[in-house]
Amino acid sequence: MKDIQFTQNGRFFYGWIVVFLGLILMTFAYVGFVSLTSVFVLPVTEDLGIDRGTWMSYMVVMSLACIVASPFLGKLMGKYSLKLWVAFACLCGIVGYIGFSRADSMTSFYIFGIILGIGFAGTVPMPVSIMINKWFGGKVRGTATGIAFLGSGLGGMILSPILNSVIASGGWRMGYITLAIVYVALMILVLIFANDNPEAKGFTRMGEDETEKVKDPSEKKGMNLKEAMGTPEFYIALLSTVLVVLASSALLANSVAFFVGCGINDASAASFHGFMLGSLIVGKPVIGFITDKLGIRASTIISTIIFACTFAMLFIMPSSPMIFVYLVIACYGLGGPTITVVPPLMVNGLFGDKDYGTLVGVMNMATSIGGAFGGTVAAMVYDATGSYSGFWIVACVSVAIAAILRFVAFKIHDVKEKKLTA
């Protein structure tokens, strides 16, 4: 903990303001894109008379837009004004949610889903990772990332019951208007506080380890995108992220409907969804701390294995809903960080700082690929079979495979490092 300081050169370290901004963005931006779809599933599909799988196909379109936009935005944010690009992404979020509030057909959801996909690519989690990497070195980065990224859990706990209440009283369209208003506030905060240049503020990066200490930014260690694409661990890391997010997006998009199907009433189901996301408030800092103390490999394997257990609990849950729902929440709290905290830290651990923004953008693409299909496929499985059980089994196996793949990626990296130092 001695590497974590709140002041530098007699002044409060601005990096912690960046972490707080990241926390706010993950709290109110990430959950809107990813974690709160479940709240809208039943009211939207019942009002418009659309099957769950059909309606959730807009997420495929949104994710594809995110996939296309992510590498471009990652490169632009790494080289030019991150603040302005994130503000632009917030504007896309505002337009997208207002469009959703006026939608009366799948065509509208597809069109505005494209705009939301661009907004997601440029709002979270990529710019948060880039800013934290600029302000914090390897001795502190895991803790800083864990604190910022716990916002996704905090936001779910806060916004899930609020949106559920808004939808109950004013309808699902008002729910989307509420999210648009949230994005107006976020854009203002980004324009005021976002910063990815410690030197311009009179600071230096906190907690750098020996491999990161370079005088000339052009001497940063690691690989650029082209070099990383020539390694097997690059593709292994991407595949593992796709598998993890495929499972995660299915759970986040369908959890409320699944809980209701298990016999839990609507209000309690929304609350349990919020508690599940809220459990990340504990889990993300814990995984971040483990990363700083034991390394990214240990935190990666531990969190991914626990996340696989989440889906085992979901499969068993219908037999005793009020017992297993708490086990689901506990496993999600400690396993969920493998979705957001682990991928950007893996980028740093495997490929270094040299082209961090671009590589995080590519990792964001992998996240979007998994997110594109998880929720929709799970809903289609339900439409076809009347149950989510079959998908939970597949998700459990997929996440377990992801844990093995991540272990292999670091093993390959270690072998290369030993050869270089031999």
Side-chain angles (χ1 to χ4, degrees), residues 27 42 65 103 115-117 128 278 321-322 361 383 417:
T27 298
L42 295 179
I115 298 173
L116 274 179
V128 178
M322 295 310 295
D383 290 337
E417 287 292 304

Side-chain angles (χ1 to χ4, degrees), residues 23 25-28 30-31 35-36 146-161 252 271-285 332-333 336-337 340-341:
L23 174 68
L25 286 172
M26 291 298 295
T27 298
F28 296 105
Y30 183 84
V31 292
S35 307
L36 295 175
I147 293 171
F149 278 44
L150 68 81
S152 62
L154 183 63
M157 190 169 63
I158 295 172
L159 285 180
S160 184
L252 293 176
S271 295
F272 282 130
H273 177 78
F275 292 149
M276 183 177 72
L277 296 172
S279 66
L280 295 171
I281 295 172
V282 175
K284 289 190 175 184
Y332 187 84
T340 51
V341 174

